[in-house]
Amino acid sequence: DSFGRCIYCGSDGGDDGLTEEHIIPFSLGGGVILSEASCRACNGKISFIEGYCARKMFEIKRLRGGYPTRRPKERRTTMPMTFTIDGRKETFEVPISDHPTILVMPHFQLPGVLRGLSPATTWDDATLVGSAPKLTSITGADSLAVSISINFRTFTRLLAKIAHGLAVLRYGVEGFRPLLIKHILEDDPYAPYWIGGAPTIAPS
């Protein structure tokens, strides 16, 4: 159903109207859509967050997994890898079909509000966890490396956007107190107080 106003700022969209909003980004395979739920201004900010995470954090995973894209003609067919052979580093463009599927994710403890902490501006206990296949026999290289960019704050804005969308879907726009809007739209400096993860994590 149509919400008739932006779920982030409450605007009716004005002359530009409202756009649909994927709870899980389309680029990550999300299929649940809120109709007429985002104004153009907020949609632009959300698009930046989703675009960064899709291209910088999840690009290899998306390419290898055949995740959807709105620009199929621009989809890459190769990705760079740096090989170390006899102590010498060389970078090659490797076909996506031969490129390892690598996923690196931030791991946060519970948000400060659930741990009785005062508002803070950094995720002091954040770590990185990842999974990748073991590669020991590619071209006889001593080692190989790929580059993945991770911005903790942008990633947590994506988490906040997903959480807010799920709350709207379950409770309606008026059915809960929205605590994450500022971080979604403006990058709240005290986001670590509201946004975190699980205290434990399954082995990769």
Side-chain angles (χ1 to χ4, degrees), residues 9-167:
C9 72
S11 166
D12 64 3
D15 294 338
D16 291 329
L18 297 165
T19 64
E20 66 183 23
E21 183 71 7
H22 284 76
I23 294 180
I24 304 294
F26 171 79
S27 60
L28 298 180
V32 179
I33 299 172
L34 305 177
S35 299
E36 293 188 287
S38 179
C39 70
R40 296 290 177 179
C42 290
N43 183 262
K45 296 178 181 180
I46 299 300
S47 294
F48 165 78
I49 297 168
E50 295 179 346
Y52 173 88
C53 292
R55 292 189 301 271
K56 300 295 185 179
M57 291 184 63
F58 303 123
E59 184 173 28
I60 297 173
K61 178 72 173 176
R62 291 181 61 240
L63 291 172
R64 288 280 292 174
Y67 283 50
T69 177
R70 299 188 193 281
R71 300 180 179 87
K73 293 183 179 180
E74 298 177 14
R75 173 157 268 173
R76 300 180 61 151
T77 58
T78 64
M79 286 287 288
M81 290 185 66
T82 300
F83 296 82
T84 302
I85 303 174
D86 295 330
R88 185 182 70 257
K89 292 184 177 181
E90 294 189 48
T91 300
F92 300 95
E93 288 290 326
V94 176
I96 295 301
S97 58
D98 295 329
H99 199 287
T101 302
I102 297 174
L103 181 64
V104 179
M105 299 279 284
H107 174 221
F108 305 101
Q109 298 298 316
L110 288 172
V113 66
L114 297 182
R115 290 193 281 166
L117 304 178
S118 299
T121 58
T122 58
W123 286 272
D124 291 330
D125 50 9
T127 58
L128 290 174
V129 294
S131 62
K134 294 181 179 179
L135 302 170
T136 57
S137 60
I138 294 183
T139 68
D142 303 318
S143 65
L144 46 89
V146 299
S147 176
I148 298 175
S149 176
I150 297 176
N151 184 301
F152 278 22
R153 302 197 74 87
T154 304
F155 177 66
T156 57
R157 292 176 72 184
L158 177 67
L159 294 182
K161 166 255 191 303
I162 293 171
H164 181 74
L166 288 170

Side-chain angles (χ1 to χ4, degrees), residues 183-203:
H183 188 51
I184 296 170
L185 299 181
E186 304 175 20
D187 187 8
D188 177 10
Y190 296 106
Y193 185 68
W194 303 110
I195 302 167
T200 59
I201 189 168

